[in-house]
Amino acid sequence: MKFIFVTGGVMSGIGKGIAAASLGRLLKGLGVSVTCIKVDPYLNIDAGTMGPYQHGEVWVTEDGGEIDMDLGHYERFLSQDIPREHNITSGQIYQSIIEKERRGEYLGQTVQIIPHFTDEVKRRLRSIGERSKSEVVIVEIGGTVGDIESLPMLEVARQVGTENGVLFVHVTLVPESNTGEQKTKPTQHSVATLREVGVQPDVIIARSETPLSEDAKRKIALFCNVPPGQVISGHNVDNVYRLPLVYEEQGLGRLLQEKLRLRAKAHRMGEWRRVVEQMDGARQRVVIAMAGKYVENTDSYISLNEALKHAAASLGARVEIRYVDTEQFEENPEAVENLRGARGVLVPGGFGSRGTEGKLLAIRYARERRLPYLGLCFGFQLATIEFARNVAGLKRAHSTEIDPKTPYPVVDILSHLRDVKSLGGTMRLGAQPIKLRPHTRVHHIYKGQEVILERHRHRYEINPRFIPRLEDKGLVFSGVSPDGRMEVLELPQHPFYMATQFHPEFKSRPGHPAPVLRAFLEAASHTRAPVKEN
Ligand code: GLN
């Protein structure tokens, strides 16, 4: 088993995850089996309890992990499922060491970062790598070189690096001065810091606004002890999926192959290139209004944004997402008319009450004005509430998540979670089967499949008590889990009105869009603006 460690320099948020995923795609293009692991130095057990503002989206794996969003990049770039155990956090390591210590497994010893913490990380890296049956394991180390908290993880990389078949890739930032000159000093400093902990990078990927100049490349090579051919320009591209191709053009695929002594079994970047070109060549623009809460940090909906791109590309279109802050509708209900500018309304997943009444106004607008609507998870629950209130006459119907005293709790806590107090990892998570009702729209969208598997992350569900009343009024629950939970709703008389309790975005990949998103965008691309009401 061979390892590539990916570290980050200068600052966080420069796209280390996408760089690691792109390396994986390059290797896959050579026919080499590969997987990615994210090592996070923070003390949380997983990303499930972190705020989307600070940390971006929480990614949900097939096997029910609530994980750092970099695993989403890995899945999208590698087109393969990445299990939850591929996200190792310091919190997990400390937890297991402390449990062992209490059991007496270290009797007589002092338990220390080196070797106990580091050994535990190494053990996990190896066993995960073996289980994945990959020739190459790419390990991305979270945080920035120089952080106190990432030191033990870098020590792991150093120790593993003393063996054969290990490569270090350092992703760093090259900013531009006012005069447009690319400045390499921050990179020099971060490589110096990396060397202080005993790691010499083999490859440096420089993130820059424009392609890295020869001059900057030479300087980095000279000061950082790396041959110029191993300094790679990771300049901004308007389509992230182009990045593996940008690397490939600079010979990085060949370099990885030589350095790791891999036998190339294929040259398959052509398929990837076709998918990227399809995305870039799309002309028709489809404007979608997205009514979310975390509109300031678009990383909060990164999988959904990516999934919409994949779906649009398959239709020869590009999607333009307009984020709408629904709190403005609460202050000024007239403002909901602004949705006329969009060809579809999308309400994504969410938690808590802020902006909820505004979202309900947006959903009502889409339903009444026959604008395509797609609701995902929270957007599914809210569509049910809107229908209950405004069609079924259940005034003040709500979810007990938002209004515990509602007279009509049409959305209520999942029965098996009623007595669960702890918030970490306790939702209904991961892939769950859904039976589709024959002859419904969703059944058609999934090409007649009877049972589908989609990923979930929720604590509330449609209260079965209200289903007959809602269905009497025309709401169709067209997907139901084998244990009887409502999963999909639709309005047959509407041009496109659908919502799912599951998150279709987590299974979307370039070239393999999520069926529900594709159908929604297709409907949106045929829609005209609703006429203004007077
Ligand atoms: N807050 C809702 C629930 O817990 C929806 C969750 C979501 O949208 N991911 O069920």
Side-chain angles (χ1 to χ4, degrees):
M1 199 192 322
K2 308 198 164 150
F3 284 100
I4 299 178
F5 284 96
V6 179
T7 52
V10 183
M11 63 179 206
S12 63
I14 58 173
K16 201 162 19 97
I18 290 179
S22 299
L23 296 179
R25 174 39 69 180
L26 274 186
L27 291 173
K28 260 200 115 161
L30 293 169
V32 173
S33 60
V34 58
T35 194
C36 291
I37 299 178
K38 174 81 191 280
V39 172
D40 277 311
Y42 50 68
L43 295 182
N44 304 59
I45 297 291
D46 62 35
T49 55
M50 290 191 196
Y53 268 128
Q54 208 191 352
H55 206 74
E57 161 195 280
V58 176
W59 170 257
V60 180
T61 60
E62 194 77 353
D63 60 354
E66 296 173 280
I67 307 287
D68 187 276
M69 64 175 195
D70 279 329
L71 264 81
H73 297 314
Y74 304 161
E75 286 205 7
R76 286 186 287 268
F77 278 75
L78 296 181
S79 293
Q80 68 195 37
D81 285 354
I82 305 278
R84 62 192 298 177
E85 64 174 8
H86 288 227
N87 187 202
I88 302 174
T89 69
S90 293
Q92 294 167 12
I93 304 295
Y94 283 122
Q95 190 182 42
S96 85
I97 294 177
I98 290 168
E99 279 167 7
K100 273 193 203 166
E101 189 271 338
R102 290 291 83 183
R103 283 197 301 269
E105 289 182 30
Y106 302 110
L107 221 50
Q109 298 176 46
T110 309
V111 184
Q112 294 179 300
I113 304 267
I114 308 171
H116 301 102
F117 182 98
T118 46
D119 281 355
E120 176 64 19
V121 179
K122 285 199 293 193
R123 189 190 63 73
R124 287 192 191 203
L125 291 179
R126 291 230 161 73
S127 67
I128 294 168
E130 267 155 30
R131 268 194 294 282
S132 76
K133 301 195 175 64
S134 306
E135 287 167 77
V136 178
V137 179
I138 299 174
V139 183
E140 177 193 348
I141 301 191
T144 311
V145 169
D147 292 347
I148 292 181
E149 47 170 25
S150 55
L151 277 175
M153 297 302 189
L154 291 171
E155 171 60 13
V156 168
R158 185 195 69 78
Q159 290 181 14
V160 178
T162 59
E163 298 155 22
N164 279 336
V166 177
L167 208 65
F168 290 103
V169 176
H170 189 55
V171 183
T172 170
L173 181 73
V174 173
E176 271 177 29
S177 71
N178 289 343
T179 57
E181 191 192 345
Q182 291 180 323
K183 305 304 269 182
T184 64
K185 193 70 81 191
T187 297
Q188 296 175 34
H189 279 300
S190 85
V191 172
T193 311
L194 197 54
R195 284 213 298 258
E196 255 169 48
V197 297
V199 173
Q200 164 65 45
D202 299 289
V203 174
I204 294 179
I205 296 179
R207 292 279 298 109
S208 52
E209 240 162 76
T210 53
L212 197 65
S213 68
E214 281 309 312
D215 190 39
K217 216 176 241 188
R218 223 174 310 122
K219 262 196 195 146
I220 293 175
L222 180 65
F223 287 105
C224 302
N225 264 352
V226 175
Q230 289 167 223
V231 180
I232 305 292
S233 172
H235 48 273
N236 286 354
V237 278
D238 44 16
N239 178 356
V240 288
Y241 300 106
R242 188 166 278 285
L243 210 57
L245 302 173
V246 169
Y247 290 170
E248 145 119 315
E249 283 151 20
Q250 299 175 67
L252 186 53
R254 205 168 1 95
L255 188 69
L256 297 180
Q257 188 193 333
E258 275 168 24
K259 292 265 162 202
L260 289 174
R261 296 173 203 267
L262 299 165
R263 222 162 37 87
K265 294 166 209 107
H267 289 279
R268 280 201 304 247
M269 286 311 277
E271 287 165 39
W272 188 258
R273 187 178 298 275
R274 266 191 298 286
V275 173
V276 173
E277 278 166 7
Q278 187 185 37
M279 275 183 197
D280 289 350
R283 290 282 166 264
Q284 194 196 352
R285 200 175 57 116
V286 185
V287 179
I288 298 299
M290 183 145 128
K293 178 159 80 162
Y294 308 104
V295 289
E296 294 92 345
N297 179 356
T298 49
D299 259 3
S300 313
Y301 302 110
I302 187 154
S303 295
L304 183 51
N305 295 346
E306 294 306 315
L308 285 168
K309 270 191 226 165
H310 310 158
S314 75
L315 297 163
R318 9 175 121 236
V319 61
E320 185 182 316
I321 301 165
R322 295 210 184 132
Y323 293 98
V324 285
D325 174 3
T326 51
E327 275 178 298
Q328 55 160 337
F329 299 158
E330 295 169 11
E331 287 147 28
N332 171 21
E334 308 272 287
V336 79
E337 276 291 339
N338 295 338
L339 293 174
R340 284 183 75 241
R343 294 296 166 267
V345 175
L346 176 56
V347 177
F351 294 83
S353 63
R354 187 160 64 82
T356 302
E357 289 301 319
K359 285 184 197 171
L360 290 166
L361 290 173
I363 295 170
R364 180 175 196 169
Y365 182 89
R367 182 176 56 76
E368 291 181 343
R369 309 293 285 280
R370 304 178 65 75
L371 201 55
Y373 173 72
L374 182 64
L376 305 178
C377 204
F378 200 40
F380 165 82
Q381 298 170 356
L382 290 176
T384 309
I385 293 165
E386 190 280 322
F387 191 88
R389 286 187 187 179
N390 301 320
V391 182
L394 305 176
K395 294 250 145 31
R396 291 181 38 230
H398 222 318
S399 164
T400 51
E401 176 183 8
I402 317 287
D403 177 8
K405 296 207 180 71
T406 171
Y408 304 109
V410 293
V411 178
D412 201 2
I413 190 138
L414 283 155
S415 46
H416 64 284
L417 294 182
R418 208 162 291 255
D419 299 317
V420 176
K421 292 278 177 289
S422 160
L423 293 183
T426 55
M427 283 188 250
R428 180 168 179 252
L429 292 164
Q432 309 278 348
I434 298 145
K435 289 191 290 185
L436 302 182
R437 208 155 121 183
H439 312 302
T440 56
R441 182 175 263 154
V442 71
H443 186 243
H444 174 72
I445 288 174
Y446 279 90
K447 301 207 158 52
Q449 284 184 73
E450 281 167 28
V451 181
I452 57 169
L453 264 183
E454 292 282 1
R455 298 188 193 173
H456 294 72
R457 180 172 185 252
H458 64 123
R459 192 169 276 121
Y460 292 80
E461 65 171 336
I462 307 305
N463 186 340
R465 192 151 64 85
F466 293 94
I467 293 168
R469 278 177 89 162
L470 298 170
E471 291 212 308
D472 273 354
K473 293 289 177 191
L475 192 65
V476 174
F477 286 105
S478 50
V480 181
S481 72
D483 54 355
R485 303 183 197 287
M486 298 305 111
E487 292 275 7
V488 187
L489 66 77
E490 51 190 84
L491 287 176
Q493 308 308 331
H494 191 285
F496 188 96
Y497 191 96
M498 182 171 288
T500 63
Q501 181 63 76
F502 59 81
H503 289 270
E505 67 270 31
F506 291 134
K507 287 182 74 149
S508 171
R509 286 152 190 187
H512 298 279
V516 172
L517 294 174
R518 188 176 192 275
F520 168 60
L521 290 183
E522 187 166 28
S525 69
H526 296 138
T527 298
R528 287 158 187 252
V531 239
K532 194 159 184 161
E533 262 183 2
N534 37 31

